[in-house]
Amino acid sequence: MTPKIAIVYYSTYGTNHQMAQVAAEAAEAAGAEVRLRRIRETAPKEVVEGQDAWKHQLESMQDIPEVTVEDMEWADGYFFSAPTRYGTVASQMRAFIDTLGPLWMKGGLADKTFTATTSAQNPHGGQETTLQGLYITAAHWGAVSVPPGYTNQVLFEAGGNPYGYSATAGQFDDKGRAAVRHQSERLVEMTRRIVAGRAEQRQAA
């Protein structure tokens, strides 16, 4: 079975963009059909253009499509990545999540797999609460959470967060890349098992 994975990210300065790219490459290498999608920027234009690094990052992502509700309906599993803001996920990500009500009401988010990564300015900047908040949202969808836990030694070497890899902004290193690859591969494998199980049920019926 070929699981369909949506890699959905928001990035202000580039860290989560890099993490999403690594996740997408790993998912494709693991045999998934992948859509890499970015969250639409909702900050005022004058605010974005007032910071050169923010403006440059937004310009550098113009070739990546913005995520749509259709992408969420298409996917069998989700890999979300966005920075921490005051102990929760960036408002741009929350704004997109808040558009998913109609899809949620018809069950279009249920039984999909879900994992998440994040970043913050410092090692104790709210990463765990951000990831837990995203998993709580996934629980409301009826999604199947797939945190990395401690399923690979690299997770200890890359910070030891069992909820999902978390980077210090601007410091996405080789150990972090290995952790994201593992998390993405794990998502693909768990999604493949669920998709295969559904197919067997349909055949048995």
Side-chain angles (χ1 to χ4, degrees), residues 22-200:
V22 170
E25 291 166 1
E28 287 182 340
E33 183 179 353
V34 175
R35 290 186 184 181
L36 176 63
R37 297 292 186 265
R38 63 184 173 92
I39 295 288
R40 184 174 67 88
E41 181 59 75
T42 60
K45 183 177 180 181
E46 60 270 20
V47 173
V48 176
E49 294 187 347
Q51 297 186 46
D52 289 342
W54 194 346
K55 178 183 177 182
H56 174 73
Q57 178 60 34
L58 183 58
E59 290 173 347
S60 73
M61 300 186 298
Q62 292 306 300
D63 61 327
I64 299 173
E66 292 181 351
V67 64
T68 66
V69 173
E70 189 277 329
D71 293 318
M72 297 293 288
E73 189 167 20
W74 166 86
D76 299 311
Y78 309 120
F79 189 117
F80 272 33
S81 188
T84 292
R85 295 286 183 268
Y86 304 110
T88 190
V89 75
S91 62
Q92 290 86 346
M93 177 70 81
R94 290 297 335 171
F96 171 69
I97 288 171
D98 287 347
T99 70
L100 299 175
L103 182 59
W104 166 75
M105 289 181 67
K106 71 175 188 176
L109 297 167
D111 303 325
K112 310 290 184 80
T113 55
F114 182 91
T115 200
T117 57
T118 190
S119 65
Q121 191 63 39
N122 58 70
H124 301 286
Q127 291 99 321
E128 290 190 358
T129 54
T130 294
L131 294 171
Q132 289 168 1
L134 286 168
Y135 287 119
I136 289 170
T137 293
H140 281 255
W141 294 348
V144 180
S145 292
V146 186
Y150 296 115
T151 55
N152 189 293
Q153 180 61 34
V154 72
L155 299 166
F156 292 96
E157 298 171 358
N161 189 334
Y163 308 104
Y165 174 72
S166 56
T168 300
Q171 299 181 30
F172 184 45
D173 58 14
D174 288 343
K175 290 181 180 179
R177 290 182 175 85
V180 170
R181 281 195 295 270
H182 172 71
Q183 189 168 342
S184 184
E185 290 164 356
R186 177 172 163 79
L187 178 72
V188 171
E189 178 57 28
M190 294 299 107
T191 309
R192 180 180 287 114
R193 294 182 188 182
I194 291 173
V195 170
R198 288 189 199 132
E200 290 177 2

